[in-house]
Amino acid sequence: MSEELEETMRDSSAINGAWRIVTVAFAGDGGQATRDDGFGTDGLIIYGSSGYMTAHIVLPDRRESAASAAAQGGTGNPAHHAYFGTYTVDSVARTITHHRLANNNPGLPTDVVRSYRFLDNGCLVLSPLGGPGDQLTFERAGM
């Protein structure tokens, strides 16, 4: 077995399970990050050993914009992001790709690539590639 394959299997195994969001850092105008240290944002992402995943992120502070979008005939809900599908891990690039089969916010890409890293405390940090620098930090759920 190649070293790259062994590393991918180790990372896939480490990623498997349920993760609950603990902090979110949104990149603002000019690249300045604003943090939500768990106050208001909640979410869960689950990676199964079968290669399937699901994600739910709720941003309560955006409820007003969701109501406004609905009142104007918009679709989707900017306060709630939910999707499921399969995922692949690339340990060399340190990325995880979510291959979304269904998504409650139409028009978003099917495949989303995120960089990942593990913190010393066991938390998982995901950051969208090619994005503004947002960063979501998760801890193991139920442990």
Side-chain angles (χ1 to χ4, degrees), residues 11 14-15 19 94 116-120 122-125 140:
D11 283 359
I15 287 170
W19 298 87
R94 304 295 291 172
Y116 71 88
R117 63 188 168 96
F118 294 100
L119 302 179
D120 290 340
C123 286
L124 171 66
V125 179
R140 287 249 180 227

Side-chain angles (χ1 to χ4, degrees), residues 71-135:
Q72 296 174 26
T75 59
N77 182 348
H80 180 221
H81 301 284
Y83 59 89
F84 68 89
T86 60
Y87 71 97
T88 52
V89 174
D90 181 338
S91 63
V92 174
R94 304 295 291 172
T95 60
I96 185 166
T97 303
H98 298 170
H99 308 283
R100 299 190 267 203
L101 299 174
N103 186 344
N104 75 323
N105 290 293
L108 294 178
T110 301
D111 289 345
V112 178
V113 182
R114 304 182 189 295
S115 66
Y116 71 88
R117 63 188 168 96
F118 294 100
L119 302 179
D120 290 340
N121 64 2
C123 286
L124 171 66
V125 179
L126 299 177
S127 301
L129 286 187
D134 296 346
Q135 188 170 279

Side-chain angles (χ1 to χ4, degrees), residues 26-66:
F26 297 107
D29 294 334
Q32 296 295 330
T34 58
R35 292 181 64 90
D36 174 353
D37 291 322
F39 300 106
T41 299
D42 203 356
L44 191 68
I45 189 165
I46 301 171
Y47 295 105
S49 59
S50 63
Y52 280 86
M53 58 82 55
T54 185
H56 289 270
I57 306 292
V58 180
L59 306 165
D61 59 329
R62 296 188 181 179
R63 284 190 183 124
E64 186 175 313
S65 61

